[in-house]
Amino acid sequence: MPTPLLPLVLRAVEGTPRLAFATAAVVAAPLCLHARPSGFARAAATVAALLVPWSFIGAMAGMFLHLPCRPKRHAAG
């Protein structure tokens, strides 16, 4: 059973909203397996293992997007 967020992901605009909706859909996927505890545990562990590198990539992208936008400090002179 696909997650209810799948139509939203397919209709999302390009770029960041599509990535956010796709991430939310992946996180919500184990909720469809609530009737099978072993399948839920396996799906939740897989999602958790995938979210660790995904969050690292997001943190690195956020830092490198923020770095050029920071105000420059001028030397006192």
Side-chain angles (χ1 to χ4, degrees):
M1 172 181 206
T3 64
L5 293 174
L6 192 58
L8 290 175
V9 172
L10 295 177
R11 282 189 243 143
V13 295
E14 293 293 324
T16 304
R18 182 172 281 190
L19 289 175
F21 283 135
T23 302
V26 169
V27 169
L31 296 176
C32 296
L33 300 171
H34 62 85
R36 295 178 40 208
S38 63
F40 177 81
R42 191 176 316 126
T46 302
V47 167
L50 292 174
L51 283 178
V52 170
W54 184 243
S55 64
F56 179 75
I57 291 169
M60 292 297 113
M63 283 194 309
F64 288 114
L65 289 174
H66 172 72
L67 194 61
C69 298
R70 67 179 169 80
K72 298 198 178 352
R73 294 186 181 207
H74 297 287

